[in-house]
Amino acid sequence: MKSKQLKRSHHKAKLDAGVTSSFCLVFLLYWVSSIALPAQNRLVVATDGSGDFRSIQAAINSLPTESTSWREIFVKNGQYPEKIFIDKNKIQLKGESTAGVVISISLPRDCWRCEHPDDWGAATLNIRAQDITLQNLSVINEYGFKAKGDSTINCPNEGNKPKIVRKDGHQFALRTMPGCTRLSVLGCVFRAFGGDTVSPWDVDQGMYYFRDCVMEGGVDFYCPRGWAYAENCQFICHNLSAAIWHDGSLHESSKTVLKNCNFQGDPGFKLGRFHRESQFYLLNCRFAKEMADADIYWAQSGPGTPLWGRRVYYYRCKRSGGDYAWHKDNLQTGLKAKAITIDWTFEGKWIPPGANR
């Protein structure tokens, strides 16, 4: 028993060290950098009153709904225990430093949906707008980290019947609604203990770009719909079913690309799965030895056989402790890894602010 406890403690220490090093990495990368966006109007948020506003939401609320130019909201270091709603276009929400700007609430999706008709408001950061850039922020849904276990609530939307709220149930840190597209996320940390931590949700027109981010959560905790490109990101999985997920069911060209990303998690975590039409490209990714010997798989709860077949592709991916046969190079005939670019992913329709090109 003591041996098992020591192993668990050792593994937890490794995960904590990995998260700490990731925070330091994104802090160093973005403390000295900025993105030049055209004709910005700039507001400053600071909890000590030294800015234009004390809360992020108050700064967002002060902006006109529409704008032909970008608006920057600069957030000074501090703790921001507030739920954020962005429903205005062309906003750059930029923190002073990734480790220093912490936006956090505690909210399981099940509790929210028992009293509301949809997910607008179920996340720490809720977006229903186009042309949004997030930079140097830590966005956390604390529920699963603080809950001692599962709980039971009465659910008005289900006839006031008792409903079990799981400690590892769906917990959004970032949730975008249909209509949100051209979202660029740079040097941010997203943490939850449950599923769907990072949920960009427009399967029809959604285009999402992530660079130098840390994402942590349970099942399907990175689950983009539509077109997504993530590079130099770290994924930390606390669930044995799947870390990543994709829905490309409305357009055959929809895809999720992950380049130069690292995956770690609890012993036996699986890389990914899909319930609907999807397309995965993993390039130069690194897998921890704790990852299970299980390829990205079709979840049996999905609606039938995929129309466009299984489309899961790897290129030069490596696992610590030895590679598995299933992630050997298997790009389609004629497709070169160097051709899998941001432009190719988004079909020339969008150049994300801050993208490596």
Side-chain angles (χ1 to χ4, degrees):
M1 179 62 72
K2 289 185 179 180
S3 176
K4 290 183 179 179
Q5 290 175 340
L6 286 172
K7 287 182 179 179
R8 285 196 294 268
S9 298
H10 176 67
H11 177 67
K12 182 180 185 298
K14 288 175 63 181
L15 284 179
D16 290 344
V19 174
T20 301
S21 64
S22 301
F23 268 83
C24 293
L25 174 62
V26 293
F27 175 81
L28 290 172
L29 282 170
Y30 286 94
W31 184 76
V32 297
S33 67
S34 63
I35 299 172
L37 295 174
Q40 289 179 342
N41 301 309
R42 191 172 190 260
L43 298 174
V44 177
V45 179
T47 57
D48 62 3
S50 61
D52 302 299
F53 298 92
R54 290 180 180 270
S55 79
I56 298 169
Q57 192 63 55
I60 295 170
N61 293 346
S62 75
L63 296 173
T65 300
E66 298 296 335
S67 176
T68 58
S69 61
W70 282 86
R71 288 81 61 83
E72 178 186 312
I73 297 175
F74 181 76
V75 185
K76 289 188 176 182
N77 288 341
Q79 299 288 325
Y80 295 86
E82 55 177 313
K83 182 187 296 186
I84 306 298
F85 294 88
I86 301 178
D87 57 1
K88 301 173 182 180
N89 300 334
K90 291 186 179 297
I91 291 177
Q92 180 191 19
L93 186 62
K94 180 181 178 181
E96 183 177 357
S97 70
T98 305
V101 177
V102 180
I103 306 168
S104 62
I105 65 167
S106 176
L107 179 63
R109 184 195 195 192
D110 283 338
C111 286
W112 178 262
R113 290 301 294 268
C114 275
E115 297 183 351
H116 299 85
D118 57 32
D119 284 339
W120 181 239
T124 306
L125 178 52
N126 306 269
I127 303 177
R128 187 166 56 194
Q130 300 179 358
D131 296 306
I132 303 297
T133 297
L134 309 174
Q135 185 178 3
N136 303 356
L137 307 168
S138 292
V139 183
I140 303 171
N141 190 328
E142 300 178 329
Y143 180 78
F145 296 115
K146 291 185 173 182
K148 296 181 179 180
D150 298 346
S151 61
T152 302
I153 63 172
N154 288 327
C155 187
N157 284 349
E158 297 180 7
N160 283 319
K161 295 179 180 179
K163 185 178 184 67
I164 296 176
V165 179
R166 290 171 45 185
K167 174 183 172 70
D168 63 350
H170 289 155
Q171 297 158 37
F172 303 122
L174 171 67
R175 169 70 156 94
T176 76
M177 303 297 285
C180 173
T181 187
R182 298 188 299 275
L183 170 66
S184 184
V185 186
L186 313 167
C188 290
V189 171
F190 300 98
R191 298 187 66 215
F193 186 78
D196 291 22
T197 305
V198 177
S199 299
W201 210 278
D202 191 328
V203 71
D204 185 21
Q205 301 181 36
M207 293 185 288
Y208 312 104
Y209 175 73
F210 295 84
R211 192 189 87 191
D212 301 317
C213 293
V214 178
M215 306 183 211
E216 178 180 8
V219 63
D220 306 334
F221 68 88
Y222 175 61
C223 52
R225 288 141 175 86
W227 293 262
Y229 191 102
E231 59 180 328
N232 306 328
C233 292
Q234 182 177 4
F235 298 89
I236 304 169
C237 186
H238 298 300
N239 180 277
L240 302 186
S241 293
I244 61 175
W245 183 92
H246 178 243
D247 180 358
S249 56
L250 286 187
H251 302 282
E252 188 173 0
S253 66
S254 294
K255 59 183 70 70
T256 179
V257 176
L258 300 101
K259 182 179 180 181
N260 300 329
C261 293
N262 291 291
F263 292 82
Q264 62 176 296
D266 298 341
F269 80 92
K270 296 183 179 68
L271 179 58
R273 65 178 183 173
F274 54 102
H275 292 77
R276 303 179 179 90
E277 306 291 340
S278 61
Q279 190 170 194
F280 296 83
Y281 292 86
L282 285 85
L283 314 174
N284 298 306
C285 290
R286 296 295 178 264
F287 308 131
K289 64 180 181 180
E290 288 82 9
M291 186 179 73
D293 186 0
D295 198 355
I296 294 175
Y297 64 97
W298 169 253
Q300 295 302 313
S301 57
T305 304
L307 176 65
W308 298 310
R310 174 183 167 82
R311 297 180 297 169
V312 179
Y313 306 106
Y314 302 97
Y315 179 76
R316 292 187 176 178
C317 293
K318 297 294 181 182
R319 172 183 171 268
S320 177
D323 294 337
Y324 294 134
W326 49 263
H327 62 78
K328 66 182 180 181
D329 295 358
N330 69 333
L331 294 180
Q332 307 100 306
T333 302
L335 179 62
K336 303 296 184 181
K338 64 180 180 181
I340 303 176
T341 63
I342 292 170
D343 289 343
W344 177 82
T345 301
F346 299 120
E347 302 174 1
K349 298 176 181 178
W350 179 47
I351 300 174
N356 287 326
R357 301 181 72 241

